[in-house]
């Protein structure tokens, strides 16, 4: 049995993998009943350190297929884990926007916490990025494609940042983990922001431990490394994603975590046209505005970022339509976009479709004879907050202090 990747960022990766494998020994109940709605489990989509996700069918007033996320039974009895799990649902349920994956239902049934989400059919931007890196396009359609995807993601983030609680006060949501793996393109051309599991918000029940850094180091802004975040942190992270879509090269990721942290803090950020001369004629001001290390000089909101991107595309025909986005994926990049199962109108991750191709993000899934892209050449870095990353972070901070002398 191969241990699934960890999604529980508050425990170390080895422990999370052991927990995820152990969870498969426990036969879960095949249905959950909550407030008159029964969810019948169909198949497992994925399993991580904190929870498993299943394709399920709801049997209530409205019958539909959903993605059902369930906390592992042995963690459900621990208040901190249960609170962290339900926090994600409580936060995302307050966001109503087509560019954010919707929460349909959440709660507890017989002591078991669950989240019912819309089922997504499509591909992650990580998979798209790998295909782009192999083909190296520089044409107008490519620029419209990557800029449209980024602008749509920015719209979803702005909706999250503007969300308000039941009392009408801002929730101050910050995603904190924007990266290509948490952006999703559906079969019908929608861009979705996924996974608010480590989001910061005003009324979270579970708070991070003091000094705990959450997110992916190569996409987090310098101030997040020091535990300070607001909505401008997400602007930076999306800026890194857009920069990599333009240059087709990782911006800050290095071979080791200390090197990555130092790069985020210190490495020069060259305009994309200097990295790829064939695109030097394209407007690069929006991405550089998102990548200002000083938050006070950075684009102040995801909406401002989206507005700049819209303006860039006006002379080129504007944003791509949803039909154009899907057509570009299939016809130009050769990315197979799975259709919804059984004619269901909602969508689910490509990993959950039985006949979907293996994700090209992994070395295993790369066709024979093709060289790895920059995102495939290195193994995964230890997750922030894990024991494996703690000494690396300390080493990086020490190295920064040494350089400052």
């Amino acid at each position: 049995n191969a241990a699934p990747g960890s999604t529980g960022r508050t425990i170390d990766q080895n422990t999370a993998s052991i927990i995820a494998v152990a969870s498969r020994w426990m036969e879960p109940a095949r249905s959950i009943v909550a407030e008159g709605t029964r969810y019948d489990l169909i198949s497992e989509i994925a399993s991580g350190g904190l929870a498993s996700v299943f394709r399920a069918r709801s049997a209530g007033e409205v019958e539909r297929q959903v993605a059902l996320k369930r906390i592992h039974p042995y963690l459900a009895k621990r208040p901190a884990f249960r609170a962290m799990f339900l926090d994600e649902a409580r936060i995302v349920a307050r966001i109503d926007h087509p560019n954010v994956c919707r929460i349909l239902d959440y709660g507890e049934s017989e002591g078991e916490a669950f989240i019912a989400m819309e089922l997504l059919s499509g591909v992650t931007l990580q998979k798209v990025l790998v295909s782009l890196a192999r083909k190296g396009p520089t044409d107008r359609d490519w620029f419209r494609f990557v800029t449209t995807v980024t602008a749509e993601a920015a719209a979803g983030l702005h909706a999250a940042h503007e969300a308000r609680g039941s009392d009408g006060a801002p929730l101050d949501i910050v995603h904190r983990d924007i990266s290509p793996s948490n952006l999703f393109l559906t079969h019908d051309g929608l861009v979705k922001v996924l996974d608010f599991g480590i989001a910061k918000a005003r009324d979270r029940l579970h708070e991070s431990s003091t000094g705990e850094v959450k997110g992916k180091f190569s996409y987090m802004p310098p101030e997040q490394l020091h535990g300070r975040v607001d909505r401008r942190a997400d602007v930076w992270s999306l800026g890194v994603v857009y920069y990599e879509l333009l240059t087709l090269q990782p911006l800050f990721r290095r071979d080791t975590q200390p090197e990555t942290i130092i790069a985020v803090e210190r490495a020069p950020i060259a305009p994309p046209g200097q990295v790829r001369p064939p695109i030097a004629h394209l407007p690069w001001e929006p991405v550089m505005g998102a990548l200002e290390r000083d938050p006070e000089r950075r684009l102040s909101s995801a909406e401002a970022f989206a507005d700049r991107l819209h303006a860039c595309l006006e002379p080129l025909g504007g944003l791509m339509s949803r039909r154009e986005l899907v057509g570009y994926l299939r016809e130009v990049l050769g990315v197979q976009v799975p259709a919804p199962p059984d004619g269901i109108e909602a969508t689910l991750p490509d990993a959950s479709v039985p006949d979907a191709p293996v994700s090209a993000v992994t070395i295993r899934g790369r066709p024979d004879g093709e060289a790895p892209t920059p995102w495939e050449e290195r193994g995964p870095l230890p997750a922030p907050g894990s024991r494996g990353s703690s000494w690396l972070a300390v080493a990086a901070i020490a190295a920064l202090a040494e350089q400052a002398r």
Side-chain angles (χ1 to χ4, degrees), residues 40 45 86 110 138 164 200 238 244 291 294 307 314 354:
D40 296 320
I45 294 172
L86 290 175
E110 298 181 354
T138 59
R164 293 176 177 269
K200 177 181 179 291
L238 187 59
E244 294 182 348
L291 292 175
D294 181 354
D307 288 345
E314 282 182 7

Side-chain angles (χ1 to χ4, degrees), residues 20 45 52 63 67-68 90 97 119-120 124 131 135-136 161 176 182 187 193 201 220 231 255 267 338-339 384 392 400:
I45 294 172
S52 294
E63 184 169 327
L68 193 79
R90 294 172 55 253
H97 195 275
L119 208 51
L120 296 178
T124 65
S131 295
K135 295 182 180 292
H161 297 158
R176 293 199 294 187
N182 282 334
H187 74 284
V193 179
M220 68 174 61
R231 64 174 63 192
D255 289 327
L392 291 171
L400 285 169

Side-chain angles (χ1 to χ4, degrees), residues 4 13 94 108 152 155-156 215 235 284 299 322 343 355-356 376-377:
Q13 286 187 310
R94 305 299 305 183
E108 297 185 72
E152 294 289 283
V235 173
W284 48 262
L299 289 174
R322 289 164 61 180
D355 58 354
E376 295 175 287
E377 289 171 354

Side-chain angles (χ1 to χ4, degrees), residues 381-396:
L381 296 175
S386 69
R387 291 179 187 172
S389 72
S390 299
W391 70 270
L392 291 171
V394 170

Side-chain angles (χ1 to χ4, degrees), residues 25-258:
W25 298 344
M26 301 181 181
E27 182 63 27
R30 302 308 298 172
S31 64
I32 290 178
V33 180
E35 296 187 1
T37 300
R38 187 179 77 250
Y39 296 99
D40 296 320
L41 306 187
I42 298 172
S43 60
E44 185 179 284
I45 294 172
S47 182
L50 180 63
S52 294
V53 181
F54 297 85
R55 182 151 67 101
R57 182 179 292 106
S58 67
E61 292 183 5
V62 179
E63 184 169 327
R64 58 186 166 188
Q65 289 195 28
V66 302
L68 193 79
K69 188 174 184 179
R70 306 193 328 167
I71 189 169
H72 295 315
Y74 41 84
L75 295 179
K77 295 178 177 152
R78 300 176 64 177
F81 284 100
R82 190 168 61 251
M84 181 172 60
F85 179 81
L86 290 175
D87 267 341
E88 177 183 1
R90 294 172 55 253
I91 290 169
V92 183
R94 305 299 305 183
I95 307 170
D96 182 15
H97 195 275
N99 295 121
V100 175
C101 183
R102 289 181 299 130
I103 297 292
L104 306 174
D105 189 15
Y106 69 95
E108 297 185 72
S109 173
E110 298 181 354
E112 186 173 12
F114 72 92
I115 304 172
M117 305 171 287
E118 64 176 323
L119 208 51
L120 296 178
S121 168
V123 293
T124 65
L125 189 59
Q126 179 78 26
K127 184 172 183 178
V128 174
L129 185 53
V130 170
S131 295
L132 284 169
R134 289 188 184 135
K135 295 182 180 292
T138 59
D139 59 287
R140 188 180 79 163
D141 284 346
W142 155 77
F143 182 67
R144 288 184 66 214
F145 174 81
V146 299
T147 303
T148 297
V149 168
T150 306
E152 294 289 283
L157 279 175
H158 183 66
H161 297 158
E162 291 291 305
R164 293 176 177 269
S166 56
D167 58 358
L171 287 174
D172 298 327
I173 295 172
V174 184
H175 188 287
R176 293 199 294 187
D177 198 20
I178 291 298
S179 68
S181 61
N182 282 334
L183 298 174
F184 196 86
L185 278 69
T186 71
H187 74 284
D188 54 355
L190 276 173
V191 178
K192 297 275 189 178
V193 179
L194 308 179
D195 195 359
F196 283 77
I198 65 168
K200 177 181 179 291
R202 170 174 58 88
D203 58 352
R204 274 195 86 107
L205 298 177
H206 175 81
E207 293 296 338
S208 302
S209 301
T210 302
E212 184 179 7
V213 178
K214 291 190 172 186
K216 299 177 182 70
F217 285 122
S218 54
Y219 292 94
M220 68 174 61
E223 69 269 18
Q224 190 171 339
L225 292 169
H226 303 284
R228 303 186 302 273
V229 295
D230 58 26
R231 64 174 63 192
R232 294 170 296 184
D234 288 343
V235 173
W236 168 283
S237 300
L238 187 59
V240 176
V241 172
Y242 186 45
Y243 188 98
E244 294 182 348
L245 288 168
L246 292 172
T247 63
L248 306 181
Q249 296 181 26
L251 176 54
F252 296 118
R253 179 163 180 170
R254 302 294 189 264
D255 289 327
T256 67
Q257 198 171 79

